[in-house]
Amino acid sequence: MASAAPTGGDLSRLRQLNSLAVFGALRADGPLTLTAVAERTGLSRPSTKEVVDQLVELGWVVEVAPSAGTIGRPARRYRFRAEAGHIAGIDLGVHTVRAVVSDLDGTVLAETRQAVTPATPNDERIAAAERAVEGCLTMADLAREDLWTVAAGTTGIVDTAGVVRICAGIPGWAGVDLTARLGELFSCPIEIENDARLAALAERERGVAKGIRDAVFVHAGRRTGAALVIGGEVHRGFGGAAGEIGLHPVAHWERSADHIHDCPAVPAGVPKRDAARHTFAAARDGDPAALAAVDRYCDELAVGVSAMVMTLDPELVVLGGGFSPAGDVLLPRLRARLEEVCLRMPELRASTLGEECVAVGAVGRAVARLDAKHFGLTPGGIAPAR
Amino acid sequence: MASAAPTGGDLSRLRQLNSLAVFGALRADGPLTLTAVAERTGLSRPSTKEVVDQLVELGWVVEVAPSAGTIGRPARRYRFRAEAGHIAGIDLGVHTVRAVVSDLDGTVLAETRQAVTPATPNDERIAAAERAVEGCLTMADLAREDLWTVAAGTTGIVDTAGVVRICAGIPGWAGVDLTARLGELFSCPIEIENDARLAALAERERGVAKGIRDAVFVHAGRRTGAALVIGGEVHRGFGGAAGEIGLHPVAHWERSADHIHDCPAVPAGVPKRDAARHTFAAARDGDPAALAAVDRYCDELAVGVSAMVMTLDPELVVLGGGFSPAGDVLLPRLRARLEEVCLRMPELRASTLGEECVAVGAVGRAVARLDAKHFGLTPGGIAPAR
């Protein structure tokens, strides 16, 4: 059973029950037995049972089936019903539009992608996003009404209202009110953020930056971008322009990926979206042209990364985005360049989240917002606008 | 009456009195009448009077004399006795060693400076600091025993134990344990921090960055450095190396100030410490050599500042340090350079704290630490090491 977002009445009942402590324990640490919930909340066991029963009735909590082969009568265990609601995460990219649909734990149930180009008109890019979400919903046997939030990331500077302010990658994209455009398609709340920032959030929540306070995230792929984690939160900047070091004239990341895509080691006829894989494979085999291309790419990447590192002195640099599976090729070269200039070397790690990182980050942000809004749980994520 | 730092017994008595609320109100908002203290603390007026009387007896609080010409019998007013203790702030610089002595409000009572050179041996630089503090104490009619904290800033990367780890400006300074060296001279706690970071703290606490959450501070003077304020706190970085963008090869701030000091507009025989004033004055008069020198200086400054701005997207950039009185000359040029590259322009302001900014920041940091340690007041300042 999937269900619509909670109504005011449901929430008021949830609060009346004084059951947020019980709910929070099951949300964070479930499945749990009633005894374990009582221990965590300080409530008596009878009170705990009463609250859990009512949460089950409301559809927030469900009993877990005992493991097969259990001997005797096992204690009943309960968990948060993450399937009570669903979230769509969208990556409105320059060359690809991706979508994922997740449950309220952020567990991805379906993912789709649609090819676009920088020249794709705005209406068609939005329509591609709609089709991508629709495909996910079909695969997960869900309807639009089951979505509690649609969260999207896109390239460029996005204001807090969800309007694209500056966008170098997609002509005509600046000025688009994404909250309004997606709001015409989906009746749930819409959230919009910069793509690299959502990918950084995904790393912080479930990737290689988990538990790290200060990190620089490099979004390396067909486009090159960056985002910062400071004090455990993704840093927006005063006007949402933090991490845009790639547009600095000495970094000029706008065309850096061309070194990888236009490398002579890429066989003729290979489509652009597969070109990088060939270049990295050739570099692993010692192909001189591929090695030269990788070197030039890392040289340009290192200028911007070292500027961020020498500004912030982070604990960690994450190489994420579509090129992250080539961490074995890229990280040693990036490390060597950084060691030449940085006063203190941060650790370097390649992301393991892959190309879905933006859509997964979008979902993660929506989950954190929902937890904060409905359940009073501590919000994680991106520091609020000032 | 000056007095030594509070003993455990004094503090325990202060806490037993449950008087921290009263103390906090007078510390933050005094002078106040008993009625005003009672309103702020929620205590009854008789309880408030009892607590205040005991704070007076302990020497933490004092009655304020009524203004001359007051008609009738005015209500008694009380204030925190900021003169109960004192703090020395030291700027262990490359060319100058400065000291200030302040009361517990951070109000500066005396200031001194001693000329040194990059070649001054370590022992002599430490001895110059000792003489500078001694001079302040003499002027303020105080003894070393009256100091509750000695806080010092120095150029380079300083670890959390107060050992200089890397220092480009002073040969042989790396490796010096400043906590130990100053601890041989003063029996109170010693605190050591990077100089630009303390100057940024001074701007955040009492300068042009007051109330700003995210700011870039440029320490512009005979040396060029930078520090960051993020989320209202000065940012150290994971290894204390945040803000060292000036050592990036494309910024290379190491010799930037030479453009100003070695300008042909400086009359022969002018000592180096007065050279900048002549260059800036000549630039104001339209002297072509001075204008060219200022342009070159601003070009180099802008590379590092724009890299920091495009990383963090701060609300404000502060031009501080010895060159800050030339904000009228420097800021329009710096602004023009930044406008060419930055996606979003921060506000630019020149510091009004002048050359004492590092020593004043050192005192401010010590005050915040003392408030936190002794009185349980919220610490401000520099984010703790991780």
Side-chain angles (χ1 to χ4, degrees):
Chain A
M1 177 183 83
S3 51
T7 65
D10 293 342
L11 291 169
S12 135
R13 195 160 163 215
L14 191 65
R15 287 200 194 92
Q16 271 172 7
L17 289 169
N18 191 22
S19 61
L20 281 177
V22 171
F23 180 81
L26 288 167
R27 177 93 178 92
D29 301 324
L32 294 174
T33 62
L34 290 177
T35 308
V37 173
E39 272 170 16
R40 277 171 172 74
T41 57
L43 294 174
S44 69
R45 201 171 171 294
S47 298
T48 301
K49 179 156 192 336
E50 188 185 342
V51 172
V52 168
D53 284 347
Q54 287 175 304
L55 287 169
V56 168
E57 191 187 312
L58 283 167
W60 292 109
V61 162
V62 68
E63 190 181 336
V64 182
S67 334
T70 309
I71 294 164
R73 208 185 85 190
R76 290 178 171 191
R77 294 188 312 149
Y78 296 86
R79 66 167 175 82
F80 169 63
R81 252 188 90 241
E83 66 274 31
H86 294 88
I87 295 161
I90 308 174
D91 176 2
L92 277 159
V94 178
H95 302 99
T96 312
V97 171
R98 293 167 198 278
V100 302
V101 163
S102 82
D103 64 16
L104 295 182
D105 277 339
T107 303
V108 171
L109 308 175
E111 46 190 87
T112 60
R113 72 178 194 187
Q114 297 259 308
V116 288
T117 73
T120 299
N122 293 345
D123 286 351
E124 287 182 31
R125 200 177 302 273
I126 302 281
E130 185 182 15
R131 286 193 303 275
V133 173
E134 201 58 59
C136 288
L137 291 172
T138 301
M139 286 192 279
D141 197 18
L142 295 167
R144 288 192 195 196
E145 294 70 44
D146 296 322
L147 294 176
W148 287 18
T149 303
V150 171
T154 195
T155 177
I157 295 185
V158 184
D159 69 18
T160 50
V163 180
V164 180
R165 287 299 171 196
I166 300 175
C167 183
I170 306 173
W173 198 234
V176 175
D177 182 342
L178 287 171
T179 304
R181 295 302 304 273
L182 293 175
E184 292 163 9
L185 305 175
F186 302 97
S187 56
C188 58
I190 308 291
E191 299 196 5
I192 312 292
E193 183 50 277
N194 166 272
D195 53 0
R197 221 164 278 152
L198 291 176
L201 180 64
E203 295 299 339
R204 178 64 176 71
E205 283 189 343
R206 57 183 71 202
V208 295
K210 201 168 175 177
I212 301 281
R213 286 182 59 90
D214 296 343
V216 163
F217 174 81
V218 184
H219 197 191
R222 290 186 67 173
R223 289 191 61 265
T224 319
L228 316 171
V229 174
I230 303 178
E233 286 193 326
V234 178
H235 182 76
R236 282 198 96 243
F238 189 71
E244 295 290 353
I245 187 76
L247 297 176
H248 195 289
V250 302
H252 61 86
W253 285 356
E254 297 89 341
R255 305 195 60 80
S256 294
D258 291 354
H259 294 304
I260 302 299
H261 292 125
D262 301 342
C263 171
V266 179
V270 166
K272 199 156 187 174
R273 68 183 219 200
D274 296 327
R277 207 160 34 83
H278 287 272
T279 301
F280 294 130
R284 287 188 191 97
D285 291 341
D287 178 277
L291 289 171
V294 164
D295 279 345
R296 279 193 297 270
Y297 177 71
C298 288
D299 284 347
E300 292 187 15
L301 210 58
V303 175
V305 174
S306 59
M308 291 189 287
V309 167
M310 295 179 78
T311 298
L312 283 173
D313 186 23
E315 182 173 0
L316 174 70
V317 172
V318 177
L319 182 83
F323 292 176
S324 58
D328 60 318
V329 176
L330 297 172
L331 286 187
R333 288 169 175 79
L334 184 60
R335 181 176 290 114
R337 306 293 185 285
L338 294 182
E339 278 173 348
E340 285 166 19
V341 297
C342 294
L343 258 67
R344 201 195 64 78
M345 269 300 287
E347 196 182 338
L348 267 61
R349 294 182 197 158
S351 165
T352 53
L353 293 179
E355 300 195 345
E356 308 300 330
C357 55
V358 174
V360 167
V363 157
R365 185 178 190 230
V367 168
R369 291 274 181 112
L370 284 169
D371 274 346
K373 184 177 161 195
H374 292 319
F375 311 130
L377 302 179
T378 312
I382 297 177
R386 309 289 144 69
Chain B
M1 176 183 82
S3 51
T7 65
D10 292 343
L11 291 169
S12 137
R13 193 159 164 218
L14 190 65
R15 287 200 194 92
Q16 272 172 7
L17 289 169
N18 192 20
S19 61
L20 281 177
V22 170
F23 180 80
L26 289 167
R27 178 91 178 93
D29 301 323
L32 294 173
T33 62
L34 289 177
T35 309
V37 173
E39 271 170 15
R40 277 172 172 73
T41 57
L43 294 174
S44 70
R45 203 172 171 294
S47 299
T48 302
K49 178 152 190 345
E50 188 184 342
V51 172
V52 168
D53 285 346
Q54 288 176 301
L55 287 170
V56 168
E57 191 186 312
L58 283 168
W60 293 108
V61 162
V62 68
E63 189 182 336
V64 181
S67 332
T70 309
I71 293 164
R73 207 186 84 188
R76 291 178 169 190
R77 294 189 310 147
Y78 297 86
R79 66 167 174 83
F80 169 63
R81 252 188 91 239
E83 65 274 30
H86 294 87
I87 294 161
I90 308 174
D91 176 2
L92 277 159
V94 179
H95 302 99
T96 312
V97 172
R98 293 167 199 279
V100 303
V101 163
S102 82
D103 64 17
L104 295 182
D105 277 339
T107 303
V108 172
L109 307 175
E111 47 190 87
T112 60
R113 72 177 194 187
Q114 298 258 307
V116 287
T117 74
T120 299
N122 294 344
D123 287 351
E124 287 181 31
R125 198 176 304 271
I126 302 282
E130 186 181 15
R131 287 193 303 274
V133 173
E134 201 59 59
C136 288
L137 291 171
T138 301
M139 286 191 279
D141 197 19
L142 294 167
R144 288 192 195 197
E145 295 71 44
D146 297 322
L147 294 176
W148 288 17
T149 303
V150 171
T154 194
T155 176
I157 296 185
V158 185
D159 69 18
T160 49
V163 179
V164 180
R165 287 298 170 196
I166 300 174
C167 183
I170 307 173
W173 197 233
V176 175
D177 182 340
L178 287 171
T179 305
R181 295 301 304 272
L182 293 174
E184 291 163 9
L185 305 175
F186 302 96
S187 56
C188 59
I190 309 292
E191 298 196 6
I192 312 292
E193 183 51 276
N194 166 272
D195 54 0
R197 221 164 277 151
L198 291 176
L201 181 64
E203 295 299 340
R204 178 64 176 70
E205 282 189 343
R206 57 183 71 203
V208 295
K210 202 168 174 176
I212 301 282
R213 285 183 60 89
D214 296 343
V216 163
F217 174 81
V218 184
H219 197 191
R222 290 186 66 172
R223 288 191 62 263
T224 318
L228 316 172
V229 174
I230 303 177
E233 287 194 325
V234 177
H235 183 76
R236 282 198 95 242
F238 188 71
E244 295 290 353
I245 188 77
L247 296 177
H248 195 288
V250 302
H252 62 87
W253 285 355
E254 298 88 341
R255 305 196 60 78
S256 294
D258 291 354
H259 295 304
I260 302 299
H261 292 126
D262 301 343
C263 171
V266 178
V270 166
K272 200 155 186 174
R273 68 181 220 203
D274 296 326
R277 209 160 33 83
H278 287 272
T279 302
F280 293 131
R284 287 188 191 97
D285 291 342
D287 178 276
L291 289 171
V294 164
D295 280 345
R296 279 193 298 270
Y297 177 71
C298 288
D299 284 347
E300 292 187 14
L301 210 57
V303 175
V305 173
S306 58
M308 290 189 288
V309 167
M310 295 180 78
T311 298
L312 283 173
D313 185 23
E315 182 172 1
L316 174 70
V317 172
V318 177
L319 182 83
F323 292 177
S324 57
D328 60 319
V329 177
L330 298 172
L331 286 187
R333 288 169 173 80
L334 184 60
R335 181 175 291 114
R337 306 295 184 286
L338 294 182
E339 279 173 349
E340 287 166 18
V341 297
C342 294
L343 258 67
R344 201 195 64 77
M345 269 299 288
E347 196 181 339
L348 266 59
R349 294 182 196 159
S351 165
T352 53
L353 293 179
E355 300 195 345
E356 309 299 330
C357 54
V358 174
V360 167
V363 157
R365 185 177 190 230
V367 168
R369 290 274 181 111
L370 285 168
D371 274 348
K373 183 178 161 194
H374 292 319
F375 311 130
L377 303 178
T378 312
I382 297 176
R386 308 290 144 70

